[in-house]
Amino acid sequence: MILQSLELKDFRNYESLSLQLSPQVTIFVGQNAQGKTNVLESILMLALAKSHRAGRDSEMIRWGADFASVSGVVERNQRNYSLDLKILPRGKKVRVNGLEKRKMSDFIGHLNVVLFAPEDLMLVKGAPQARRRFLDMELGQMSPQYLYNLAQYQKVLQQRNNILKDSERMDAGLVGTLSVWDEQLVEYGAKIIRKRLEFVEKIQQFSADIHQRITSGREELTLQYKSSLLENENCSGSLADFFREQLLSRQKDDFRRGSTSVGPHRDDIEVQINQQNVHTFGSQGQQRTAALSMKLAEIELIRHEVGEYPVLLLDDVLSELDEMRQLHLLESMGERVQTLITTTMTYGLQELMQEKAVVYRVMGGSIDRT
Ligand SMILES: Nc1ncnc2c1ncn2[C@@H]1O[C@H](COP(=O)(O)OP(=O)(O)OP(=O)(O)O)[C@@H](O)[C@H]1O
Ligand SMILES: [Mg+2]
């Protein structure tokens, strides 16, 4: 799919911006703090209605302005979709082809993106949270239902934890009130885990192939979803039953800790190279290559699931990779994947890329064609 154009009004440091994008490569060059990442963030908003870095949506409204808006035209399956998103101090409004959608899930998924930012190089080395975010971002844009289940799960989890923190309740024998929350937690949690298991199994295939290519056949990459639920036993019954049992058997413990010790919010992906855990035993370079393989696998998976390649957003990552990995990144997208790249410098990008690419210069919230 191709994002043809982008229009911003009062988004971050852009008062007004209108851009045509290359169907192949567009490069945004500029010094620090000029608004390069802001452009990619706005595109992420069109895809996911969620930013990868803003704590609150309202942070994206240009200081002093009443609201922000992001619009774009996406071409997919030979059809054009115009997407509009308006960020108000409280809440968002979205439209597809001019029609307002009341549910975010009717908006999300018209545009698919894979964002690769410097922090993604920590995907394997970093804490489990980074890998859960990876799962949630990708599953979220392919499945609105997943996003819904996740939001519900988090809400219920919060409420359950509030009760767990209130130790007087346990003393007063109010443990029974937990079971109401447990039921909902089990319902949404089991759905989330099932989807994630499926996803990791699929992405495993793609990432193993890619990793093998990058390492010239020397390394075998395997990914496995590690659920806190399934840690010790194989789950023979239904996931839901298993989850329910675990919540019950850990209830006393959970009250002591004041939080819920089991569920998808504690899960992880185990990444292995040649049967060794990369998080623990991998070298820095292996960890980065594994992260790169996983991100590139996302591109292939989206293509497999939705029938078209997503738009690839590379935020300042080329300079973080050595030449061999740069080459793999650029080669693997080739002509097939529309790619937007931000960088502080033009050298380091291959000359060929520059010839093919549309290059924009970003300066203090305005963008000019070079
Ligand atoms: N709501 C806002 N209103 C106005 N300006 C904002 C807002 N939010 C952020 N900014 C400005 O945007 C700038 C950052 O833009 P951005 O993160 O896109 O920079 P960048 O070009 O990616 O820089 P770097 O190369 O350091 O990553 C900040 O300096 C900040 O002043
Ligand atoms: Mg940036």
Side-chain angles (χ1 to χ4, degrees):
M1 65 192 71
I2 306 290
L3 179 63
Q4 296 179 330
S5 59
L6 180 72
E7 228 169 280
L8 306 181
K9 290 231 155 52
D10 291 326
F11 183 91
R12 295 282 192 188
N13 63 340
Y14 293 97
E15 191 178 337
S16 168
L17 175 74
S18 179
L19 278 185
Q20 295 298 317
L21 302 168
S22 162
Q24 293 180 351
V25 182
T26 308
I27 303 176
F28 297 93
V29 190
Q31 297 186 338
N32 296 131
Q34 301 305 308
K36 300 184 298 296
T37 302
N38 292 345
V39 173
L40 300 191
E41 184 183 37
S42 74
I43 295 171
L44 207 70
M45 289 301 290
L46 283 184
L48 292 164
K50 200 170 151 54
S51 159
H52 63 301
R53 60 174 181 174
R56 281 184 211 167
D57 290 336
S58 58
E59 286 170 26
M60 289 174 276
I61 304 173
R62 193 170 68 90
W63 298 322
D66 295 333
F67 63 87
S69 79
V70 184
S71 308
V73 176
V74 180
E75 183 196 329
R76 65 187 291 167
N77 296 324
Q78 281 116 38
R79 287 181 62 180
N80 281 5
Y81 296 89
S82 75
L83 305 176
D84 296 285
L85 177 130
K86 200 167 173 182
I87 307 166
L88 301 143
R90 282 160 189 273
K92 283 170 290 203
K93 289 201 164 146
V94 289
R95 282 184 300 169
V96 177
N97 293 334
L99 290 177
E100 186 159 343
K101 300 287 176 190
R102 283 202 309 122
K103 285 192 285 180
M104 277 304 146
S105 56
D106 291 335
F107 176 79
I108 296 165
H110 285 88
L111 171 65
N112 295 110
V113 298
V114 169
L115 168 70
F116 198 178
E119 60 265 26
D120 290 313
L121 289 167
M122 298 291 289
L123 182 60
V124 174
K125 188 183 184 183
Q129 199 182 4
R131 289 177 291 282
R132 286 196 294 271
R133 233 175 59 116
F134 167 76
L135 290 170
D136 293 342
M137 285 248 297
E138 289 329 301
L139 273 164
Q141 62 172 316
M142 287 191 280
S143 162
Q145 190 61 42
Y146 179 85
L147 220 54
Y148 173 80
N149 289 335
L150 191 67
Q152 295 300 311
Y153 181 86
Q154 274 155 356
K155 225 184 277 171
V156 178
L157 181 67
Q158 185 71 51
Q159 278 156 332
R160 186 180 197 268
N161 286 345
N162 287 343
I163 295 180
L164 291 172
K165 286 197 177 68
D166 188 351
S167 57
E168 279 173 22
R169 293 218 197 197
M170 183 168 73
D171 299 341
L174 284 176
V175 178
T177 50
L178 261 192
S179 65
V180 181
W181 301 119
D182 285 6
E183 247 344 281
Q184 295 188 44
L185 207 64
V186 163
E187 184 196 327
Y188 296 118
K191 287 180 184 160
I192 291 169
I193 294 174
R194 211 169 295 123
K195 272 282 187 195
R196 286 183 180 173
L197 282 164
E198 236 177 74
F199 175 84
V200 172
E201 209 177 292
K202 284 184 193 158
I203 205 155
Q204 143 74 26
Q205 305 280 328
F206 293 114
S207 54
D209 286 350
I210 293 166
H211 194 84
Q212 203 166 45
R213 250 182 286 138
I214 301 181
T215 61
S216 314
R218 272 174 289 124
E219 295 184 359
E220 184 194 1
L221 182 75
T222 50
L223 306 178
Q224 203 180 6
Y225 187 69
K226 284 281 169 199
S227 175
S228 52
L229 276 182
L230 311 172
E231 225 154 28
N232 301 313
E233 287 141 88
N234 280 327
C235 171
S236 49
S238 85
L239 257 175
D241 290 343
F242 207 70
F243 194 2
R244 194 178 296 110
E245 275 166 36
Q246 297 263 319
L247 284 172
L248 262 177
S249 72
R250 297 191 192 205
Q251 201 175 74
K252 270 216 178 85
D253 243 16
D254 284 358
F255 262 112
R256 212 168 303 127
R257 303 154 48 112
S259 67
T260 305
S261 61
V262 67
H265 64 288
R266 310 273 306 179
D267 292 355
D268 198 357
I269 304 174
E270 188 177 321
V271 185
Q272 292 192 337
I273 288 177
N274 299 340
Q275 277 94 50
Q276 295 291 333
N277 187 322
V278 196
H279 180 77
T280 322
F281 297 109
S283 72
Q284 182 112 313
Q286 281 178 318
Q287 289 170 339
R288 284 174 162 228
T289 309
L292 180 61
S293 303
M294 287 168 74
K295 293 301 283 193
L296 294 178
E298 272 181 52
I299 299 175
E300 295 300 331
L301 182 64
I302 289 178
R303 146 84 196 244
H304 185 259
E305 298 282 304
V306 310
E308 289 201 31
Y309 279 111
V311 177
L312 178 61
L313 309 176
L314 299 177
D315 192 11
D316 226 356
V317 287
L318 288 184
S319 56
E320 300 277 334
L321 296 168
D322 64 27
E323 238 165 71
M324 183 198 58
R325 294 191 188 88
Q326 275 189 24
L327 207 69
H328 271 280
L329 190 57
L330 299 178
E331 262 178 13
S332 70
M333 43 191 220
E335 315 249 290
R336 302 162 300 168
V337 183
Q338 185 188 23
T339 305
L340 312 187
I341 299 174
T342 75
T343 178
T344 46
M345 49 201 175
T346 37
Y347 63 88
L349 284 174
Q350 297 186 328
E351 278 176 35
L352 181 79
M353 293 293 298
Q354 283 197 51
E355 272 169 30
K356 272 198 305 191
V358 170
V359 182
Y360 285 117
R361 189 163 297 281
V362 183
M363 227 160 66
S366 73
I367 294 187
D368 298 304
R369 182 104 189 226
T370 58

